Every structure is written in C-alpha cells, then in structure tokens.
Amino acid sequence: MTTSDVTGMTVPELQAALQDGATAAGIAEAYLDRIAATDGTLGSYLHVDREAALERAAAVDASGNAGTGLAGIPVALKDVVVTAGVPTTSGSRILEGWKPPYDATVAARLKAADTVLLGKTNMDEFAMGSSTENSAYGVTRNPWDPERIPGGSSGGSSAAVAGGLAPWAIGTDTGGSIRQPAALTGLVGHKPTYGSVSRYGLIAFSSSLDQAGPMARTVLDAALLHEAIGGHDPLDSTSIDAPLPVLAECARRGADGDLSGLTIGVVRELGGEGHTDGYEQGVLDRFTEAVALLESLGAQVREVSCPAFDLALPAYYLIAPSEASSNLSRFDGVRYGLRVGDDGARDLDEVMALTREQGFGAEVKRRIILGTYALSSGYYEAYYGQAQKVRTLISRDFNAAFDAEGTGVDVLVSPTTPTVAFPLGSRVDDPVAMYAADLCTLPASLAGVPAISVPCGLSDGLPVGFQIMAPALADDRCYRVAAALEAAQDAARGSRFLDQLPSRVAEGAA
Ligand code: GLN
C-alpha cells in the first residue's frame, strides 16, 4: 500500500485495510507524511503532534482493536473543539497557548472510539467568516485551486479532507460553516438537528445556532462520523434526549437509488425564478441537473415558496453577533490565553481592554460592536426582537412545507452556496459580500433543522454543492437523498467525485 493509496481511501476501505493487516500506525504515518509534505502550501492545520498521533496509533494496534468500529481511523478536529492538553485557539490570538483541561464531548467520544487525532484545523476566528481568511494564524487554501478560499469557517477541516490530509474531520456550523466549506471543496458536510450533537466543549459563538457535525469524502463516511459523535449528552443543557436516527444504514440503503414515494420541494427563494441575484449560472445549472437526476430515481419534485427565507441573512446577522457579544465577554485576559499590559502599573480594566484590543481580530470586534448595539436598551426591540420574530417566521415556513396536510414535502433542496469558491482576498474587505456566501445555509440554521451538502458537479472546474434540508430529527432523510444522488452521479461518472481533483494540487508542494 502506498501513501497515496491510504490517503485516498474512504473509511470503510480503511477499516477493511486494518482488518487485512494494515496497522493504525502505518495509516497515521501516511497521513502525517502527507501533511508534512503538503500543508506548507494548504495551511489546513494549526496544530499537529506527530509523536502523540503515532503513539496513540501504536496503542490502538497493541490493543488488537484496530479495524473494529472506528478504532485506528485518523481524524482531524476544528480548533473550536476543546481538547485536553492539546492547544485550542478557535483561530484567535486571544487563546494562543491555551491548553484546555478537558475534552469536548465530541472529542471525548472520538477518543473513546479509539480514533487517532491527527491535529487541530484552521478556522475563521471564533468561527466568524466564510473563507477562513479571518484566522489569526494565516489563510487556508483550497486544494482544487490554491488561489481560492476553501470556504469557512471550517476551511481547515474542508481543505484537509479534500486534500487527503485527513480521511474526515469535525466542523461546526452556526450559519453554514460545515455545509459551505464542504460545498466549495467537493465534500459531504452535514449540520445535524440543533441539540442532537453535544455543544459541551465547543467554544461558543452563537449558542442557539452552534452545532458540530461531520465533513467527509462520502455520504456513508459522514453518516459513520455523525453516529460516533451524536446523541444525548447530560453535559449540554440543550441536548435532545432522544435516540439518534439510524444514519449509516440509511446512507447504505439510499445508495440503492430508489426514491419512489419521496417528495422533494425546491425552494423558490433560494435560486428559483425571481431569486437568482448573486447566483452563478454554473451553480444553478448543476443544481437543476441534480434535481432532474433525483426525479429520474423516482422522487416527486415540486417548487415550494418559503417567503421568510428572504429575511434570513439580516436576521442571522443580528442574532449571531448578539449572542457572540455575550459569549465573548469571557475572554478578558484573566482566565485563558493572552494577557496584555499586566505590568503592575495598570489596573484590571486597562489590562482587559488592552488584551481584547490586541487579542481579537477585526471581524470579531465588528460582531461584538454590532451585537452589543443590537442588544442595548432602546434598540433591543427594533433589532434583536425583530430578528427573533423573523426566526419564528422561517420556522413556520419550514413547518408549512413539511407538514401541509397531504401536500407536504419530505425534504427541501437548494444550492448550498450561490457561487463556487472565490479567489483569496476578493471579499475579505467587503463584509457584506462575505456574508452573502451564507444565503442558502442560514434558514436551516435559524430553524434548527438538519441540512446536508453533497457535491453535484463542477462549474469552471470547481465543486458545486447540493443542499438537502429535512424536518428536525429527520437527519436520516438528508443522508438517504444525498446517498442516492452521490451513487447516481458516481455511476454516471464512473468514479468518485474527489477523483476529479486536479493532480497538480493533489500531489501538493512542499
Ligand atoms: N459565515 C457565517 C458567519 O460568519 C457562519 C459561520 C458559522 O457557521 N460558524 O457567521
């Protein structure tokens, strides 16, 4: 087995290799070598501990468990996931050098499953952004074209998985940060139903929206990772105390491709007639072709109108910064990471102000100011209160689409993003253009419903994502439809989606 064989495998292929005599240490080494050779260009990791990963892999080999479940499979975690004894920065200077004393539940569950942590991935600071250019530690590049962004805020995770630097990774999605980077790098990314994956130990951005989920090369891989991290957690007060639906089995069955009996609603407000402003034609074409493919597999398709979706962007950009301004108040230079100006001559307020001034980047400051303003008395009803009302209207649109007596749809679909990956630097000084990258992903976030992005072809040689949204707790439907689409497209192409990655990039550069 060569390194490139190993780093191109799906998780079931890695499991089979382990059962066939490959070692967890050998697999970890193949990934670590590839990281060493190519991550100087990609910039997908913030922290890799080669020795620790190899030691852990050797321990799994020694236990004799490698190849059972996820034992011995490497994994990467977005740096917003707290890891005991392993540096965790959330992409911010203010947390530089912080080694958390505990594991997030997501990290603990993956550890308990005997996966091998390769490292922590780059991200927009505190998960605020759509391009990973807001990281305090440098940009991450898209393996499809290193002059373009890998999406954000989970762009380190998306670039690592697409580039073969991890078989899969954990991302977090507050307004689209799993689905949008997955779409722009040709991956499968799923935002679970709000409350179905624990938030314990995720550094909070907007608590009523944040959700961790899988980013993977195939729908089945995503389902396997989701099953490993999901389910009730008493340490998270918003965790849903209900069993996770069966996901991997659903992905396997979905790949059989029979969608008869399923009704798909195409959301008019997300790229439909009269709503194409800002959408690239290539994205709309790939989306339309994918809908036709699903129809050919037996699904009923009709257009559905969700009028309040038009207001998702302004509502999100009031709610998320409001919650962020409150969550980020804990970074005061006293408890964690950076402390500036503590020279004995300055009082506590000055030290806090200096620390926050130097520790936070421009986008984070913009959100804190915006959120504090929106929450201030006198403006609360005009901004935050109104945004919460819009949030309710968006939930009602979803309910109406899914529940309508006899005429309800099973899933709603749209493009995942209005455009393909944009060039580095092209939007970073224009926050509103950057925010527009989330146009299609925000409604599901605000309503707390599950949504998946699955590749649906290329436009100008760059990946296009197809989004499938389902009612709360029906994450299995997302996987079923995504698996059917993936299988039909793979069959038509005769290869997996990522096999199209240009080899000059796949080879990477040291
Ligand atoms: N891009 C959106 C934002 O900047 C979403 C981020 C996310 O989902 N973490 O808020």
Side-chain angles (χ1 to χ4, degrees):
M1 239 169 7
T2 65
T3 297
S4 65
D5 288 339
V6 172
T7 57
M9 283 182 179
T10 65
V11 169
E13 287 166 353
L14 287 171
Q15 288 169 322
L18 285 166
Q19 284 155 15
D20 252 16
T23 62
I27 289 172
E29 194 165 19
Y31 274 104
L32 292 162
D33 287 350
R34 191 165 166 84
I35 292 167
T38 65
D39 211 35
T41 304
L42 277 186
S44 60
Y45 283 92
L46 290 178
H47 176 81
V48 175
D49 186 340
R50 187 181 172 94
E51 292 319 307
L54 289 175
E55 219 171 272
R56 173 133 181 84
V60 177
D61 285 327
S63 75
N65 285 339
T68 319
L70 302 187
I73 308 289
V75 66
L77 299 176
K78 182 177 181 180
D79 206 30
V80 72
V81 180
V82 157
T83 39
V86 177
T88 302
T89 67
S90 206
S92 183
R93 280 282 166 229
I94 211 160
L95 280 175
E96 194 165 9
W98 185 50
K99 287 190 186 166
Y102 68 105
D103 273 321
T105 295
V106 164
R109 287 188 180 175
L110 290 171
K111 206 183 252 182
D114 275 337
T115 62
V116 175
L117 178 64
L118 291 172
K120 307 291 294 289
T121 56
N122 198 14
M123 55 181 285
D124 284 302
E125 186 176 6
F126 288 109
M128 298 173 188
S130 308
S131 68
T132 314
E133 292 166 297
N134 292 338
S135 167
Y137 302 97
V139 302
T140 300
R141 293 168 184 273
N142 191 323
W144 290 81
D145 176 353
E147 296 311 316
R148 289 175 189 264
I149 58 102
S153 62
S154 312
S157 288
S158 68
V161 179
L165 280 61
W168 57 12
I170 295 296
T172 59
D173 192 312
T174 301
S177 284
I178 288 175
R179 291 161 285 160
Q180 186 258 15
L184 301 189
T185 56
L187 300 183
V188 178
H190 182 72
K191 183 198 81 77
T193 298
Y194 180 81
S196 68
V197 173
S198 175
R199 283 187 302 111
Y200 179 73
L202 305 185
I203 295 172
F205 164 12
S206 180
S207 309
S208 75
L209 297 160
D210 297 344
Q211 199 59 194
M215 302 178 75
R217 296 190 192 140
T218 67
V219 176
L220 178 56
D221 283 8
L224 289 166
L225 186 54
H226 187 161
E227 284 183 343
I229 60 171
H232 181 242
D233 177 16
L235 297 174
D236 170 1
S237 62
T238 56
S239 172
I240 298 172
D241 195 357
L244 212 59
V246 176
L247 303 173
E249 197 38 44
C250 212
R252 284 194 195 94
R253 272 190 274 123
D256 295 345
D258 181 8
L259 292 182
S260 46
L262 186 95
T263 309
I264 293 176
V266 176
V267 181
R268 182 184 306 154
E269 284 73 12
L270 301 177
E273 212 182 309
H275 293 82
T276 53
D277 255 14
Y279 287 80
E280 288 173 357
Q281 193 55 46
V283 168
L284 295 175
D285 290 346
R286 291 303 89 73
F287 173 71
T288 308
E289 289 158 16
V291 171
L293 190 54
L294 293 173
E295 200 165 16
S296 77
L297 298 176
Q300 303 272 340
V301 176
R302 61 190 180 76
E303 192 181 65
V304 173
S305 176
C306 298
F309 285 19
D310 280 340
L311 301 171
L313 194 87
Y316 172 85
Y317 278 100
L318 285 166
I319 292 169
S322 294
E323 293 187 16
S325 74
S326 162
N327 271 323
L328 268 53
S329 65
R330 63 171 63 86
F331 301 106
D332 53 10
V334 176
R335 282 173 278 204
Y336 329 80
L338 187 73
R339 180 179 305 168
V340 180
D342 185 15
D343 54 10
R346 293 185 168 89
D347 68 18
L348 185 62
D349 284 346
E350 283 176 290
V351 172
M352 282 186 191
L354 275 174
T355 302
R356 287 168 69 85
E357 159 63 29
Q358 292 185 30
F360 289 139
E363 183 63 23
V364 172
K365 287 176 185 159
R366 181 158 33 236
R367 306 249 182 146
I368 292 173
I369 292 168
L370 192 66
T372 306
Y373 180 81
L375 290 177
S376 50
S377 66
Y379 296 110
Y380 184 91
E381 258 315 308
Y383 295 113
Y384 186 75
Q386 284 295 104
Q388 289 291 24
K389 286 179 192 158
V390 168
R391 192 171 187 177
T392 302
L393 294 179
I394 289 170
S395 287
R396 284 191 193 152
D397 278 354
F398 272 110
N399 290 340
F402 291 136
D403 296 341
E405 288 276 312
T407 60
V409 299
D410 297 301
V411 292
L412 289 169
V413 299
S414 75
T416 309
T417 59
T419 72
V420 294
F422 42 90
L424 283 163
S426 63
R427 299 196 191 180
V428 73
D429 295 322
D430 183 352
V432 176
M434 190 69 90
Y435 299 168
D438 304 310
L439 215 54
C440 310
T441 49
L442 295 171
S445 297
L446 289 164
V449 302
I452 200 166
S453 179
V454 59
C456 67
L458 299 174
S459 170
D460 292 332
L462 294 165
V464 177
F466 187 89
Q467 179 175 233
I468 304 154
M469 299 165 270
L473 297 174
D475 298 62
D476 49 340
R477 280 188 214 169
C478 296
Y479 285 101
R480 176 184 172 206
V481 179
L485 181 60
E486 176 186 64
Q489 295 200 113
D490 286 1
R493 197 187 302 116
S495 67
R496 286 192 194 123
F497 187 82
L498 279 179
D499 294 341
Q500 304 170 92
L501 192 72
S503 59
R504 69 185 161 81
V505 181
E507 296 304 320

